[in-house]
Amino acid sequence: MSDNIIETTNLTKSYGDFTAVSHLNLHIRKGSVYGFLGPNGAGKSTTMKMFLGLTSPTEGSFHIEQRTYPRDRVAILKDIGSFIEAPAFYGNLTGEENLEIIRRILDLPKSAVADALELVGLSQHKNKLAKRYSLGMKQRLGLAGALIGHPPILILDEPTNGLDPVGIHEIRTLVRSLPQKYDCTVLVSSHLLPEVELMADDIGILNHGNLLFEGTLQELESHAESQGLPTYNLEETFLAMIDADNQNRGERG
């Protein structure tokens, strides 16, 4: 049996003439942190939205925990905690009250709210109205909403947006610890490549909806070396790989 918890087969999403995701074959290992990288508009968020049933594939398929979309959509969603785009809250409710709504929907024990607040470092701000939260605190509250109840799969889209360097470090350390702590798998997209380098076991690099590379950081280094691309850090390798792909497509920059 495959040790991949998420697999896609030629997953494609088109909007009219525009193809956002093209014949994507991802292999996300159970218990790993998978860094999903690509420039803005590369198709990362669209792929994550397909996993969450927020948009339907035009072609291809995906399996999550041996379950198939759309047949097992509800069962799939029960196992996923997600943080995608800017998290939405009820501004006139406190952080704690916002999480209490999620707890009731998911039918989790009462202790789940305090546990999630503690995990993201918001315990002392639990009685503050969400509209009074800073951008960084809102990101943490969104993360708490994804983490509540310790789901086996976490899908996090740019979870460190708007955080200061200390906050970025804390969230990265938290994400890195989750698989071991809660036996979960994390799919995380970020444009902060040095952070991904410290956080991810495997990475997938997407450009114009196409997967340019998938594998470990070590495998990426070997791949880059064989292509004559810089290998001294992930950021340089990534930029060179995207640039080479754009040039192959007859584009500039």
Side-chain angles (χ1 to χ4, degrees):
M1 204 171 91
S2 164
D3 66 345
N4 296 323
I5 196 165
I6 301 178
E7 273 188 27
T8 72
T9 307
N10 293 324
L11 191 64
T12 301
K13 179 66 184 181
S14 300
Y15 299 93
D17 292 340
F18 173 69
T19 301
V21 175
S22 179
H23 299 93
L24 195 60
N25 295 301
L26 291 182
H27 309 84
I28 300 172
R29 293 185 297 135
K30 188 172 172 26
S32 68
V33 175
Y34 187 104
F36 203 25
L37 308 176
N40 284 344
K44 305 185 300 295
S45 294
T46 303
T47 303
M48 291 174 157
K49 284 177 181 170
M50 284 192 271
F51 292 159
L52 294 168
L54 299 173
T55 188
S56 299
T58 315
E59 256 181 78
S61 62
F62 65 86
H63 304 274
I64 295 183
E65 286 198 301
Q66 312 298 317
R67 298 180 181 128
T68 307
Y69 179 88
R71 187 190 65 206
D72 305 317
R73 179 176 180 236
V74 174
I76 286 170
L77 287 179
K78 279 185 175 164
D79 279 350
I80 297 178
S82 66
F83 174 106
I84 201 151
E85 292 180 341
F89 305 111
Y90 295 101
N92 290 323
L93 297 182
T94 65
E96 185 176 46
E97 287 166 342
N98 270 283
L99 291 182
E100 178 62 22
I101 291 169
I102 299 171
R103 182 195 76 77
R104 287 183 187 176
I105 290 167
L106 297 175
D107 196 23
L108 297 168
K110 282 205 177 295
S111 58
V113 170
D115 177 50
L117 287 164
E118 180 68 32
L119 258 181
V120 299
L122 273 183
S123 299
Q124 71 270 42
H125 302 291
K126 65 181 184 181
N127 296 321
K128 198 173 185 173
L129 293 182
K131 66 181 175 188
R132 306 247 183 266
Y133 276 19
S134 67
L135 179 57
M137 286 162 73
K138 284 177 179 164
Q139 290 293 107
R140 287 168 187 273
L141 188 57
L143 206 49
L147 289 166
I148 195 166
H150 308 150
I153 301 166
L154 279 165
I155 293 181
L156 309 176
D157 194 9
E158 301 281 0
T160 54
N161 259 1
L163 296 180
D164 61 18
V166 173
I168 289 168
H169 171 77
E170 285 172 2
I171 297 303
R172 184 233 305 154
T173 306
L174 170 64
V175 169
R176 179 66 264 168
S177 73
L178 289 170
Q180 204 169 7
K181 216 169 176 180
Y182 299 118
D183 189 27
C184 65
T185 305
V186 186
L187 171 60
V188 58
S189 79
S190 177
H191 62 280
L192 299 174
L193 281 84
E195 290 302 314
V196 173
E197 199 160 14
L198 294 166
M199 192 162 44
D201 300 300
D202 300 324
I203 59 165
I205 297 178
L206 208 58
N207 193 34
H208 296 288
N210 291 281
L211 191 65
L212 302 187
F213 172 84
E214 182 184 66
T216 64
L217 287 163
Q218 212 171 352
E219 286 165 346
L220 177 62
E221 197 174 323
S222 307
H223 173 78
E225 208 166 348
S226 73
Q227 301 291 309
L229 301 172
T231 58
Y232 39 87
N233 65 40
L234 175 60
E235 194 153 10
E236 292 296 329
T237 305
F238 169 80
L239 291 171
M241 198 178 273
I242 297 296
D243 191 43
D245 184 57
N246 286 342
Q247 287 187 11
N248 287 342
R249 292 163 182 276
E251 296 178 12
R252 293 183 177 279

